[in-house]
Amino acid sequence: MSEAELGRAVEFLGELCVEIDSSLEPTTPNPHLNMMLHLLRGHIEGRMVSASSMAAASGAPYATAMRKLAEIQKAGLVEQRPRTKSGRSFSLHPSADLLDRFSHLASRIGRIARTTFDGEQLHDDYFYGGSYVSSQASIAPPRALLEPLKLSGGLRILVHGDPTFMVMETLKRQFEQIVGTDIHQRAFSIDRLHQEALRNAERKRSAYDLIAVDLPWVGEFVTKGVIRPLSEVMDTERLDPGDFHTAGWRATHWNGVPYGVPSQTTPELMFYRKDWFAREGLAPPATNRDVIEAARHFHDPRNGRYGVAWNAARGTALGHTYMITSAAFGQPIIDLPRVAGGYDADKLGSGTYTPRLDTPRALAAANYLMELLEYSPPDILSMSWYERVRPFAAGKVAMAYGYTLLAPYFELDETCPAHGNTGYLPHPHGPEGAPIAPVGGYALCIPANLDEDRVADAAEALIAFTSPAAQKLYVQNGSRTAPRYSVGADPEVRRLSPIFETVDQMSWRDELQFWPRPPIPQISDIIHLCGHELHDMLRGLVTPEAALARVQERAEEILRKPVH
């Protein structure tokens, strides 16, 4: 049962009780029901609920109300959480049993309403029962921790400034009720986030309890002692590792040890305008040749319409693009052993690496980018993560490479021409490649230099923020990333976007892969190198052959140097 549906059921029952109590006097209010509805409202709205507010909501005299409150606590429907060390002050929260019971009750109310009123309006502006579905297999809302986190100054988190983490900021008040302490979140762009995480590691004491780590940084951050193994701070079975998309969970490991929990699993896909392709009788692009032909077909600069948008801005953005494009042509950027479904990137913590940046497949990928230039918007060389999706959302571009976390720009805006008209595909591949959906996103990790007296509570927060209930809540509030199979399979989540079913299917087909951005310790330097040298190639200053020869030479130098 979704949070919105629970809230709707609570509101309906509350109004119904008021109507009954006021219209059928001298009826006696139902203090049990009134208090449980008050408790559920507080949980949904992120407000603190006390025993005295429960008594006031009961509609009964104070002494009677407190006796009735004790009865529902004894029944296991209400949980009590201390607010102070003495335990004299506490807050009240719905138990998992109450949330589960009420979810089933809410679904039955909907069925009764539909059966009784046959879908008619119950009053002028309130249609009840239309959105209710069976609660089977639906994830219940997140519940408050039994013990509040005891973190002096509150919980401190360092994150990336993307839509999913901004949803977490929007829900801050509710999560503060869940974890029982203030939350302070700092958000940076990808490059500044990397710099701040490294600066934080140099401090005697970490300024953050949790940090968001881009998946390719895992090897670097482990080698430099930035993050600590999860096995040191928790029983990882509490995370239910099998519920995470396999590629996303494996990407958080180094030498077989998990160092973070996926908070986002956001593959980069090909977005395309289904309506444009259907109108022209064109099949969705499956190969790089299909992309070029479709881009040529739709490219019409005189009328402000372009074939394709992608990451071509100098630096990190283009560096990522080249690695992923090379992978689509069947070439990882380092010499990785072949396995079924691609390449093995699970054992990068042992051995040395040989760059593979000037091979025939790598050159084919570079030439493909040169071809894309011809059918791209005029400002393509300054386009990065967000800029490539905006013209697609605005109806100016037929196709765009983009991470699923960027889909809210058009999925949540009904005024966008791309709204409801977007299809999602794995990366179209080269002649020797295969369909892949390169896994991106972030893991939440615990800094290695976090004070020991904060580590246990940081681990509890980590579990709470990455739970199925929390991740479903992010989706319901605008996120388009779902690291867990259970979240992607939730019926309420499935109704919000076709992305979730599409990504699940890609995962089952083994198209979700993290080897295109292998998390070796030197990956950031190689991304930076590719993003600068190949930008000169796109500008026509050097040939693709010369650019790749330079990249290969410098990458060899980078990989020979020890990591500090």
Side-chain angles (χ1 to χ4, degrees):
M1 182 63 61
S2 75
E3 188 120 337
E5 289 172 326
L6 283 174
R8 197 174 180 185
V10 168
E11 187 67 23
F12 172 75
L13 288 176
E15 290 185 9
L16 183 62
C17 288
V18 169
E19 291 293 330
I20 292 172
D21 292 345
S22 60
S23 302
L24 300 179
E25 292 182 351
T27 57
T28 302
N30 185 329
H32 288 148
L33 179 58
N34 288 342
M35 286 192 286
M36 284 188 281
L37 292 175
H38 176 73
L39 186 65
L40 288 163
R41 275 197 206 95
H43 175 77
I44 292 168
E45 297 170 5
R47 291 185 290 102
M48 189 191 75
V49 176
S50 64
S52 59
S53 70
M54 289 276 278
S58 70
Y62 184 81
T64 301
M66 295 305 289
R67 188 172 65 254
K68 299 296 184 182
L69 174 58
E71 290 172 1
I72 58 176
Q73 284 182 293
K74 186 177 180 180
L77 302 179
V78 179
E79 293 178 354
Q80 184 171 300
R81 191 170 73 188
R83 296 178 59 207
T84 60
K85 291 183 178 179
S86 67
R88 294 177 182 173
S89 177
F90 53 86
S91 56
L92 300 178
H93 305 268
S95 68
D97 187 29
L98 175 57
L99 289 171
D100 184 59
R101 290 193 196 186
F102 198 83
S103 291
H104 288 282
L105 171 63
S107 67
R108 289 196 295 273
I109 291 170
R111 287 195 294 272
I112 292 169
R114 285 195 300 273
T115 301
T116 304
F117 297 99
D118 193 28
E120 297 177 0
Q121 280 188 302
L122 298 183
H123 57 70
D124 292 342
D125 59 356
Y126 189 71
F127 182 85
Y128 188 81
S131 72
Y132 279 107
V133 295
S134 171
S135 63
Q136 184 176 1
S138 197
I139 299 169
R143 55 180 294 201
L145 301 182
L146 293 179
E147 293 288 334
L149 301 184
K150 301 177 180 65
L151 293 169
S152 175
L155 181 68
R156 308 163 306 192
I157 313 176
L158 176 65
V159 301
H160 180 233
D162 61 48
T164 295
F165 283 122
M166 293 305 96
V167 165
M168 291 176 64
E169 178 67 17
T170 302
L171 295 170
K172 188 178 86 163
R173 184 178 178 185
Q174 183 162 344
F175 275 95
E176 285 176 340
Q177 288 294 314
I178 291 170
V179 300
T181 190
D182 294 338
I183 298 174
H184 308 286
Q185 182 169 291
R186 294 188 73 193
F188 291 102
S189 65
I190 186 169
D191 289 331
R192 288 190 61 202
L193 174 63
H194 183 260
Q195 295 165 5
E196 176 62 14
L198 292 177
R199 274 198 300 266
N200 183 64
E202 296 173 357
R203 299 178 176 124
K204 184 177 180 181
R205 295 184 178 88
S206 174
Y208 309 100
D209 299 297
L210 299 174
I211 59 174
V213 175
D214 194 14
L215 295 179
W217 304 342
V218 169
E220 176 189 4
F221 281 15
V222 171
T223 304
K224 292 181 177 179
V226 178
I227 53 180
R228 64 173 71 199
L230 291 184
S231 54
E232 288 185 358
V233 299
M234 69 170 70
D235 175 7
T236 55
E237 288 304 311
R238 293 181 63 196
L239 298 166
D240 190 10
D243 189 33
F244 290 102
H245 285 291
T246 305
W249 175 247
R250 286 167 55 202
T252 66
H253 287 57
W254 188 250
N255 279 342
V257 177
Y259 280 83
V261 186
S263 62
Q264 303 176 19
T265 296
T266 175
E268 181 169 278
L269 307 178
M270 170 64 85
F271 303 161
Y272 73 100
R273 285 293 298 272
K274 294 190 299 183
D275 51 338
W276 292 12
F277 276 75
R279 189 166 57 242
E280 299 296 320
L282 297 177
T287 69
N288 66 303
R289 285 293 93 200
D290 295 339
V291 174
I292 295 299
E293 291 172 9
R296 183 186 298 118
H297 180 89
F298 289 112
H299 197 60
D300 186 8
R302 290 185 178 180
N303 291 306
R305 193 168 79 172
Y306 307 96
V308 61
W310 45 291
N311 265 5
R314 189 179 189 90
T316 301
L318 178 57
H320 280 270
T321 289
Y322 179 69
M323 286 194 302
I324 291 172
T325 304
S326 183
F329 277 75
Q331 179 63 72
I333 65 163
I334 58 174
D335 196 15
L336 294 173
R338 278 188 171 277
V339 293
Y343 294 87
D344 185 4
D346 286 322
K347 303 177 181 66
L348 297 176
S350 57
T352 57
Y353 324 106
T354 302
R356 302 283 287 164
L357 296 162
D358 62 350
T359 67
R361 294 183 192 181
L363 178 59
N367 285 328
Y368 171 64
L369 297 183
M370 293 294 289
E371 285 189 271
L372 286 184
L373 272 180
E374 297 183 41
Y375 311 109
S376 300
D379 56 343
I380 187 64
L381 293 181
S382 62
M383 277 190 177
S384 59
W385 318 101
Y386 303 101
E387 288 81 5
R388 58 180 169 167
V389 173
R390 286 171 181 153
F392 178 82
K396 298 179 180 179
V397 177
M399 299 170 286
Y401 287 95
Y403 285 106
T404 59
L405 68 83
L406 299 175
Y409 282 107
F410 49 86
E411 283 207 348
L412 301 182
D413 186 350
E414 295 182 0
T415 66
C416 283
H419 177 81
N421 292 314
T422 298
Y424 303 100
L425 299 169
H427 270 227
H429 58 87
E432 298 180 88
I436 56 171
V439 169
Y442 290 82
L444 283 177
C445 305
I446 296 178
N449 57 338
L450 181 63
D451 283 348
E452 290 301 323
D453 62 354
R454 301 180 70 91
V455 169
D457 279 357
E460 292 301 321
L462 181 58
I463 294 169
F465 290 149
T466 59
S467 69
Q471 290 177 345
K472 178 180 176 180
L473 191 58
Y474 305 149
V475 171
Q476 291 173 317
N477 284 271
S479 171
R480 288 298 177 263
T481 70
R484 291 179 177 271
Y485 289 111
S486 61
V487 178
D490 185 283
E492 179 68 17
V493 168
R494 287 285 179 99
R495 285 197 293 269
L496 293 175
S497 170
I499 280 179
F500 302 107
E501 183 174 2
T502 299
V503 170
D504 275 359
Q505 290 173 350
M506 290 179 184
S507 184
W508 293 122
R509 293 195 300 264
D510 210 21
E511 292 171 350
L512 258 61
Q513 297 286 341
F514 75 95
W515 63 261
R517 301 189 304 165
I520 58 176
Q522 303 90 343
I523 192 67
S524 295
D525 291 337
I526 292 179
I527 291 172
H528 184 80
L529 167 66
C530 291
H532 281 75
E533 295 291 338
L534 295 180
H535 199 265
D536 288 344
M537 176 194 78
L538 295 177
R539 293 168 60 204
L541 302 179
V542 295
T543 64
E545 292 83 355
L548 292 184
R550 174 66 171 159
V551 166
Q552 175 72 17
E553 178 185 1
R554 292 193 59 193
E556 290 175 358
E557 295 175 2
I558 290 170
L559 291 172
R560 280 196 297 266
K561 294 179 181 178
V563 178
H564 300 291

